[in-house]
């Protein structure tokens, strides 16, 4: 096979070659949104002419010495920063960059150095998972809503905290979760937008998930700005097409973690290479239809895909070959960086002297099971080896609707009532859009107490039938709902005694669809356009 490679950043390899890309049936291109183009968004949809045996092609399809690629965001294969360099297939069937044999060494026949556990990080049957992580999501949504803010340092404020900021602000030292006062000192010209109303972010999040669902049904939302997509079936179909068409070249979209050699004779490597192309198409579609940029990680499971997706930011993607997973895991600063290990578990592990991934790998399983229980101990030790068999579970419609407000102090029933009345309208609007009827309501509070510096408590009750029928249809339902929630509040707090609340949360759950309702799905939040040529729906 003739192939070509380019290196887009130090410590990252990007291999590309003339290859007939086999696109998915995708949504038709939208009108486009101004903003940065997707990094590395090369097309190459036509089947290339087969090169003469022994000819090494450049990324542009010629045989001349390659030139430096254009700036990130450029069109075609020059859309990735760095140099383009010819590569050749060695006797081992591995891609090797000329003049960089040390960086592009052959794939060893034995496990990579440090991979002491057989099969660590490998998938079963070439599973391919993509993790899509949108860049500075709240800030991007605000820049789409207010295009005049695109070139300005922008921060999204909630209370007295900058919860996120765009990259213009990050260039001058503003960071996520920085106090507003400190952010203003770093960047006096910082523009702050109130982000306490989550509605625009929630709606955009649903649009991203819906758009990814046009490509593949196995899409799992993780928060507002992240999605897992299991593309194994798509990759298998493309591999069959590749065999049938006998294409002579193949390309990797984006970075290869740690410049690891690509063995084209390895089915797992080949599947992940195709997966990188699918991930690039996801990012192209998200930018073209919604104006958002994001990073992506391509790996053999959810854990590794999430870990590798943030290797190169913003607006880039990275593929992780199985042999590189030990190095990725060893590079984590502490065990809490490992998805699936939370604050409490990490503290228990620290008490056992386990602070790093390598220490968790080497820790005696019997002792760990005795301290944490068999199930938890086995699960986190598998995670430390990069093993994650959890499936990508389609998220579907939300199972509840909730909203909360945090504050420094709320110490009277009058204030509590006001907070409840502030939270209800947006919740009722979401219920009305969804179309299903909630049959349970829950009130949660967080209070400071003498015995414990904070304490969280909840109470719930059925929604009275006469109120269910009116939910989301009329504003007159707010007063009776407020009284119902105040009754729940009084079951937790004695209003005649001093109290100090720092959070109030309302949640409607136990959602049931009406027989005639066509709502109750994330698609309802989006406005359909005319049918696409591929027979699937498009969305504004």
């Amino acid at each position: 096979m003739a192939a070509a490679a380019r290196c887009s950043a130090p410590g990252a390899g990007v291999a590309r070659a003339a290859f007939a890309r086999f696109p998915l049936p995708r949504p038709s291109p939208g009108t486009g949104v101004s903003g940065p183009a997707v990094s590395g968004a090369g097309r190459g949809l036509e089947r290339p002419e087969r090169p003469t045996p022994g000819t090494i092609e450049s990324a542009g399809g010629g045989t001349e010495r390659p030139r430096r690629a254009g700036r990130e965001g450029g069109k075609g294969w020059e859309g990735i920063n760095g140099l383009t360099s010819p590569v050749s297939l060695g006797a081992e069937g591995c891609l090797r960059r000329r003049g960089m044999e040390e960086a592009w060494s052959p794939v060893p026949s034995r496990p990579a150095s440090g991979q002491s556990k057989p099969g660590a990080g490998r998938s079963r049957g070439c599973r391919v998972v993509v993790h899509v992580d949108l860049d500075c999501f709240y800030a991007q949504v605000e820049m789409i809503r207010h295009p005049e803010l695109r070139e300005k340092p922008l921060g999204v404020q909630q209370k007295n905290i900058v919860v996120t900021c765009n990259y213009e602000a990050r260039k001058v030292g503003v960071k996520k979760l920085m106090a507003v006062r400190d952010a203003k000192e770093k960047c006096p010209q910082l523009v702050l937008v109130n982000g306490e109303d989550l509605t625009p972010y929630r709606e955009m999040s649903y649009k991203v998930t819906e758009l990814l669902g046009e490509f593949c049904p196995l899409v799992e939302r993780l928060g507002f700005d992240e999605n897992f997509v299991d593309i194994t079936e798509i990759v298998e179909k493309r591999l069959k097409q590749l065999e049938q068409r006998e294409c002579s070249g193949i390309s990797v979209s984006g970075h290869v973690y740690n410049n690891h050699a690509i063995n084209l004779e390895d089915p797992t490597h080949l599947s992940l290479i195709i997966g990188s192309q699918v991930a690039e198409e996801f990012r192209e579609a998200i930018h073209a239809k919604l104006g958002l940029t994001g990073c992506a990680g391509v790996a053999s499971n959810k854990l590794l895909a999430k870990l590798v997706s943030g290797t190169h930011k913003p607006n880039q993607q990275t593929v992780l070959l199985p042999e590189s997973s030990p190095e990725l895991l060893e590079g984590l600063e502490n065990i809490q960086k490992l998805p699936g290990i939370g604050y409490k578990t990490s503290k228990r592990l620290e008490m056992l002297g386990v602070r790093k991934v390598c220490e968790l790998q080497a820790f005696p399983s019997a002792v760990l099971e005795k301290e944490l229980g068999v199930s938890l101990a086995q699960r986190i030790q598998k995670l430390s080896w990069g093993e994650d068999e959890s499936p990508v579970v389609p998220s579907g419609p939300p199972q509840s609707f909730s909203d909360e407000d945090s504050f420094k102090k709320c110490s009277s029933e009058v204030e509590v009532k006001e907070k409840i009345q502030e939270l209800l309208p947006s919740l009722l609007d979401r219920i009305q859009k969804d179309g299903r009827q909630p049959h349970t309501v829950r009130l949660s509070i967080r209070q400071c107490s003498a015995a414990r510096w904070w304490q969280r408590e909840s109470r719930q009750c059925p929604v009275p039938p006469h109120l269910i029928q009116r939910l989301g249809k009329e504003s007159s339902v707010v007063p009776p709902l407020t009284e119902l929630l105040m009754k729940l509040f009084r079951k937790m707090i004695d209003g005649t005694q001093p109290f100090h609340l720092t959070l109030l949360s309302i949640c409607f759950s136990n959602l049931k669809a009406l027989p005639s309702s066509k709502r109750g799905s994330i698609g309802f939040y989006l406005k359909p356009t005319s049918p696409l040529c591929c027979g699937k729906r498009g969305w504004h």
Side-chain angles (χ1 to χ4, degrees), residues 80-98:
I80 299 180
N81 290 330
L83 293 170
T84 61
S85 300
V87 299
S88 61
L89 280 173
E92 303 84 3
C94 305
L95 281 175
R96 299 185 63 176
R97 247 185 98 185
R98 288 181 177 175

Side-chain angles (χ1 to χ4, degrees), residues 160-162 174-185:
N160 62 337
I161 298 293
V162 178
V174 181
K175 298 180 180 178
K176 293 188 296 183
L177 303 180
M178 180 179 277
V180 170
R181 181 181 60 185
D182 297 338
K184 278 290 190 180
E185 288 179 0

Side-chain angles (χ1 to χ4, degrees), residues 159 405-420 422-423 443-448 486 489 493-495 497-505:
K159 305 300 179 183
D405 190 12
S406 58
F407 28 79
K408 290 184 178 180
K409 188 176 183 180
C410 176
S411 54
S412 71
E413 287 199 4
V414 173
E415 290 178 289
V416 172
K417 192 172 184 177
E418 289 175 353
K419 298 290 185 186
I420 290 173
E422 290 173 4
L423 291 173
L443 179 70
S444 300
I445 61 171
R446 185 178 65 200
Q447 65 169 324
C448 292
M486 288 302 296
F489 170 76
I493 297 293
D494 182 358
Q497 301 296 320
F499 62 88
H500 181 173
L501 301 185
T502 59
L503 178 140
L504 268 173
S505 173

